[in-house]
Amino acid sequence: MPTDGLGYVEYRILRPDNGVVRWIARRAQAFKRDEDGDGGGVRVLGACYDITDRRCAEDALRTLNATLEQRVAERTADRDRMWRLSTDIMLVARFDGTIGAVNPAWTALLGWREADLQGAVFLDFVHPDDLDATVAEVGRLQSGLTTLRFENRYRHKDGSYRWISWAAVPDDRFIHAVGRDVTARKEAAAALRRAEDQLRQAQKMEAVGQLTGGVAHDFNNLLQALSSCLTMIGRRSAEPRLAPLLEAGMQAVDRGAKLVQQLMGFARRDSLRPEPIDVRDRVLGMAGLLERALRADIRLETRFAPGLHPIEVDPTQFELALINMAVNARDAMPGGGTLTIEAENRTLGPGEATGLDGAGLEGEFLLLAVADTGTGMPPEVVARAFDPFFTTKEVGKGSGLGLAQVYGLARQAGGTVWIESRPGEGTRIVLLLRAGTGIPRAPAAPIQAAASLVQGARVLMVEDDPVVGSSVAAALEESGWTVLRAVSADEALPLLAGDERIDLLFSDVVMPGRLSGIDLGREATFLRPGLPVVLTTGYSEDVARTEGIAVLSKPYRIDTLLQTLSEALAKKPSPQR
């Protein structure tokens, strides 16, 4: 029968073969060998088990339990550090938009403190234009989808907005989101798009300008021939009833010439006479003209900063551009308003210029702005405002060339131009004109030539257009000139190299053949030193002027031609061989 049990015992043994320690569990029971015997012995029944693996597992579990709280505390501290130190904003919110928690980055990025946001609805901080998209994205999260990148604008405490790119995941009750400030990237992308748009617009304007310049040049010749013919008809006819018709014809020519002048100004091919001008004096001197161009219900204001730089422009083109802008402003203020002309100096560093063709402009400039309080322009009109023949006015009330001429003037003056306008907020046209170094001066009195110098003077006229050539030659001969004619520079050179008397060379600039009028003028001064040279063109020929050659703009009136040739002849009265 069993005696007191030996029970359960765990102990370690050291294996003699390899010295490894093993855990052994023993469970045993002691029995008396013989109850009726004479003191009998005791026997033991039991079993031993190797429990080394179990004891190792229990030790590991005890160690884990002992360190679990510490590791949880450490991981919580790590998350808290990320929450506090992250430069990205973090948000925990309910699906109805109620904010549960925000990290300190909200204060650094958007100015809002945790107390300002706790319990608020985050949709109240979203830009109105982004609200619908944000609500839709919250709906996707509520359906269990994950947001990998969603961008919207959040209101800063100062009232401005910042672009935020969000990543978010939902659980059963909350939205967990992380947002990164991408305002700088968005602004850089927008700036790049604007630069690309400006480049495309500048390329388009350049292409249109080249086409416009070619058309205007041919139109100039037609106007020149018509003007000369009308002048000759008037000189040769004493019919009283013919005079009003001739005058109407000349007025039509003048209107056509003005259109061509605007076209050439846009194409930057107008024959200009740039000179230093004082913008303040020029605008104030035009005040009466501008007020007549406006209406009585429009007030004209001027604001000029002290010490304005002079600019080098053609005074006529400058005044025409100012009148064009004033007329546009008048038409944009049907109920009256204020037209403001202001100017100030502006220094541009690299990359600061804007507007059409504004890239690469650096240095000293004069900024001239013409602003009205009128109806303003939508973006699609602003984008096309400088296109020639584009107008929003009724048929017959505008040619669409006014702002095209303003664009041409700005580019000819080494600057740029742009429009600032929104519907209902008026329009501001801004010109950047490169500062000049010259001193504005009063125009010199014209030289009057003696009539005796003209009588019998011999002029070599080089003109490839037969109608223009014949009509102008007839007018010159009737005024006392002897005219030698050539249709190209190649045909004129032998006459200049010969012995025939020539007192003056009058040549078109653009001609067929290998030489232009400028080339011919150079050859003429070489072959006949001191020979007066007058060129005529519808284009801008600054090279000719820098060499001291007079240039007459087409289309010209016969009286203007006679005056110009007489002045040139008066400077060199001695006849040439």
Side-chain angles (χ1 to χ4, degrees):
M1 58 179 295
T3 65
D4 294 336
L6 299 178
Y8 179 81
V9 179
E10 294 182 359
Y11 56 90
R12 288 173 289 182
I13 65 171
L14 181 66
R15 288 184 53 171
D17 55 345
N18 56 16
V20 175
V21 175
R22 305 294 296 180
W23 275 96
I24 303 297
R26 187 196 70 188
R27 188 178 298 275
Q29 181 71 48
F31 292 86
K32 289 184 178 181
R33 186 180 298 275
D34 186 2
E35 295 182 358
D36 299 327
D38 51 357
V42 177
R43 60 177 181 172
V44 177
L45 294 178
C48 294
Y49 307 95
D50 186 337
I51 60 170
T52 304
D53 293 341
R54 192 194 74 187
R55 288 298 298 256
C56 290
E58 290 173 351
D59 290 342
L61 181 60
R62 281 192 294 270
T63 302
L64 177 63
N65 289 334
T67 59
L68 180 59
E69 182 177 351
Q70 178 182 355
R71 286 194 289 174
V72 169
E74 289 175 352
R75 292 189 179 184
T76 301
D78 289 340
R79 287 194 296 269
D80 288 344
R81 278 192 293 270
M82 291 181 61
W83 180 266
R84 293 193 308 271
L85 300 178
S86 174
T87 57
D88 294 336
I89 59 176
M90 298 181 180
L91 169 72
V92 179
R94 300 182 185 276
F95 290 106
D96 63 1
T98 303
I99 297 174
V102 294
N103 69 332
W106 282 79
T107 303
L109 181 61
L110 295 171
W112 300 107
R113 297 175 303 169
E114 183 178 359
D116 299 328
L117 300 172
Q118 194 76 31
V121 177
F122 66 76
L123 293 175
D124 294 340
F125 300 88
V126 175
H127 192 285
D129 293 344
D130 302 333
L131 190 58
D132 291 343
T134 304
V135 171
E137 193 64 25
V138 172
R140 295 179 72 255
L141 287 165
Q142 193 166 14
S143 65
L145 299 177
T146 298
T147 296
L148 298 179
R149 188 177 71 177
F150 174 74
E151 295 180 352
N152 62 4
R153 285 164 288 183
Y154 267 70
R155 177 163 46 90
H156 193 282
K157 194 169 185 178
D158 64 9
S160 63
Y161 283 88
R162 307 288 293 179
W163 278 99
I164 308 296
S165 178
W166 292 99
V169 294
D171 60 20
D172 294 340
R173 299 173 56 199
F174 297 102
I175 298 171
H176 303 267
V178 178
R180 175 159 295 179
D181 181 12
V182 293
T183 305
R185 176 174 62 80
K186 298 285 286 189
E187 290 177 348
L192 179 60
R193 286 194 299 271
R194 288 194 298 270
E196 291 173 346
D197 291 342
Q198 290 175 357
L199 177 60
R200 284 192 293 268
Q201 179 72 359
Q203 290 173 336
K204 181 189 75 171
M205 298 289 276
E206 187 67 27
V208 174
Q210 292 176 0
L211 175 63
T212 302
V215 172
H217 174 262
D218 293 339
F219 192 44
N220 254 337
N221 279 337
L222 296 176
L223 290 174
Q224 184 59 64
L226 181 59
S227 174
S228 301
C229 290
L230 290 174
T231 300
M232 294 308 300
I233 293 173
R235 288 186 175 187
R236 296 181 180 183
S237 175
E239 173 60 47
R241 291 178 298 177
L242 196 59
L245 298 177
L246 293 175
E247 180 59 28
M250 291 303 295
Q251 290 179 2
V253 170
D254 290 342
R255 289 178 60 188
K258 182 179 179 181
L259 287 176
V260 172
Q261 188 181 40
Q262 291 176 321
L263 284 171
M264 289 295 191
F266 166 75
R268 304 199 298 278
R269 296 184 178 183
D270 192 16
S271 184
L272 303 177
R273 293 173 176 80
E275 64 180 60
I277 69 169
D278 184 307
V279 170
R280 179 182 181 279
D281 291 346
R282 185 70 56 166
V283 173
L284 294 179
M286 294 178 61
L289 179 61
L290 291 171
E291 288 173 352
R292 287 193 295 272
L294 302 173
R295 298 189 308 272
D297 58 355
I298 296 177
R299 184 173 70 258
L300 175 63
E301 293 184 358
T302 57
R303 302 170 187 167
F304 300 106
L308 293 177
H309 296 309
I311 58 172
E312 291 193 10
V313 294
D314 185 307
T316 302
Q317 287 292 319
F318 177 81
E319 293 177 0
L320 179 61
L322 204 57
I323 291 174
N324 283 334
M325 290 186 285
V327 170
N328 279 350
R330 177 199 66 192
D331 295 342
M333 296 185 286
T338 302
L339 175 68
T340 304
I341 302 175
E342 53 188 337
E344 63 181 33
N345 294 331
R346 182 69 59 88
T347 301
L348 294 183
E352 291 185 17
T354 183
L356 297 174
D357 301 328
L361 292 181
E362 298 179 30
E364 298 296 326
F365 290 83
L366 182 135
L367 185 147
L368 176 68
V370 178
D372 64 62
T373 57
T375 55
M377 305 180 191
E380 59 272 17
V381 173
V382 172
R384 299 189 58 193
F386 295 108
D387 291 1
F389 302 114
F390 173 78
T391 180
T392 58
K393 300 177 183 178
E394 298 177 11
V395 176
K397 292 189 176 181
S399 65
L401 291 175
L403 289 181
Q405 185 268 338
V406 173
Y407 168 82
L409 172 77
R411 296 301 294 155
Q412 286 167 334
T416 187
V417 61
W418 68 89
I419 295 176
E420 301 169 356
S421 182
R422 295 181 65 179
E425 298 182 8
T427 298
R428 187 170 184 257
I429 303 176
V430 184
L431 289 87
L432 273 181
L433 308 173
R434 189 171 292 279
T437 57
I439 300 175
R441 59 184 183 276
I447 300 175
Q448 299 294 332
S452 59
L453 293 177
V454 173
Q455 291 297 327
R458 298 170 67 84
V459 56
L460 173 57
M461 187 178 75
V462 188
E463 172 61 63
D464 62 292
D465 189 290
V467 179
V468 174
S470 60
S471 59
V472 173
L476 290 174
E477 289 172 347
E478 193 168 275
S479 300
W481 292 84
T482 299
V483 181
L484 305 177
R485 291 185 58 186
V487 296
S488 68
D490 295 330
E491 186 178 317
L493 278 177
L495 296 176
L496 291 169
D499 296 328
E500 190 169 3
R501 174 188 160 198
I502 298 175
D503 298 312
L504 186 143
L505 172 64
F506 176 54
S507 174
D508 195 5
V509 170
V510 180
M511 295 181 294
R514 58 188 180 88
L515 298 179
S516 68
I518 295 176
D519 298 327
L520 179 61
R522 292 168 179 163
E523 292 294 327
T525 55
F526 174 75
L527 294 170
R528 299 187 179 223
L531 178 69
V533 177
V534 176
L535 300 179
T536 181
T537 182
Y539 293 129
S540 175
E541 297 297 342
D542 296 332
V543 175
R545 292 194 181 89
T546 58
E547 297 183 359
I549 301 176
V551 180
L552 183 64
S553 300
K554 282 187 175 180
Y556 50 80
R557 289 204 174 196
I558 294 300
D559 292 342
T560 305
L561 170 64
L562 295 174
Q563 177 69 20
T564 302
L565 296 184
S566 298
E567 291 175 356
L569 187 63
K571 295 178 180 178
K572 295 290 182 180
S574 300
Q576 305 297 313
R577 65 179 179 89

